[in-house]
């Protein structure tokens, strides 16, 4: 059975924040949605009637934007995707999202905001699998 990835591990967080990334950080998100969002662990924020994972993720985006913008971040791209052109054909992603954050510190401030933590339930209810790749901009390979 394939593993699902929904949240960072302690090790991945330690690895990211131990880097000396200076300046902007770009976050590449690949997301696969549940057919029906699962709010069983988030009953306090659950909609009155069942909704799709895609709809739950839209709620997450709508409620997250104020926190993201307050921390200096922005959504650079929301895009539909399915199969890789180069890569494993069996991997399918419903949404590609690119987020720009002004620094690792501002990302940490955003992610640790207690009010934002409540919004995370919509994300958890929405997705069945995800990838998040932090990217540091460079000017050349050399």
């Amino acid at each position: 059975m394939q593993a699902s990835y929904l949240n960072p591990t302690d090790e991945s967080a330690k690895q990211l924040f131990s880097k000396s990334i200076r300046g902007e950080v770009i976050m590449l998100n690949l997301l696969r949605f549940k057919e029906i969002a699962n709010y069983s662990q988030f009953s306090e924020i659950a909609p009155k009637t069942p909704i799709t994972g895609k709809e739950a993720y839209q709620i997450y985006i709508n409620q997250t934007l104020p926190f993201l913008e307050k921390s200096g971040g922005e959504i650079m791209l929301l895009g539909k995707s399915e199969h890789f052109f180069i890569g494993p054909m069996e991997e399918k992603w419903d949404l590609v999202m690119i987020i720009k954050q002004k620094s690792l510190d501002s990302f940490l401030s955003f992610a640790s905001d207690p009010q934002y933590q409540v919004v995370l339930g919509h994300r958890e209810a929405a997705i069945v699998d995800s990838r998040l790749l932090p990217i540091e901009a460079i000017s050349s390979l050399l």
Side-chain angles (χ1 to χ4, degrees):
M1 182 171 178
Q2 177 186 345
S4 288
Y5 299 90
L6 303 178
N7 295 299
T9 63
D10 290 342
E11 182 60 32
S12 66
K14 180 180 170 186
Q15 200 171 47
L16 175 62
F17 290 105
S18 69
K19 291 182 169 197
S20 58
I21 296 176
R22 301 194 191 293
E24 295 177 343
V25 178
I26 308 299
M27 300 288 195
L28 171 64
N29 293 260
L30 302 175
L31 302 154
R32 189 174 315 126
F33 300 125
K34 296 173 184 169
E35 282 190 42
I36 301 297
N38 180 357
Y39 281 93
S40 61
Q41 295 181 346
F42 309 100
S43 58
E44 68 282 356
I45 61 169
K48 293 186 186 327
T49 59
I51 61 173
T52 67
K54 183 178 180 181
E55 291 168 322
Y57 202 79
Q58 185 63 58
I59 293 170
Y60 167 74
I61 289 174
N62 295 345
Q63 293 184 6
T64 296
L65 272 175
F67 300 105
L68 182 64
E69 291 168 351
K70 177 181 161 191
S71 70
E74 67 176 288
I75 296 176
M76 296 177 65
L77 171 82
L78 280 178
K80 284 177 41 175
S81 179
E82 287 189 13
H83 299 283
F84 285 102
F85 183 55
I86 298 175
M89 289 298 293
E90 65 278 1
E91 272 193 34
K92 181 180 178 229
W93 300 102
D94 299 315
L95 182 70
V96 175
M97 183 168 58
I98 299 177
I99 304 290
K100 180 170 68 173
Q101 193 56 267
K102 66 181 182 179
S103 69
L104 272 181
D105 286 342
S106 62
F107 172 70
L108 182 58
S109 173
F110 158 74
S112 60
D113 185 311
Q115 291 179 305
Y116 167 71
Q117 295 295 313
V118 175
V119 174
L120 274 173
H122 293 291
R123 180 186 182 277
E124 297 258 342
I127 61 173
V128 69
D129 198 8
S130 67
R131 303 291 184 273
L132 177 57
L133 181 64
I135 302 166
E136 178 181 10
I138 59 173
S139 57
S140 74
L141 291 175
L142 304 177

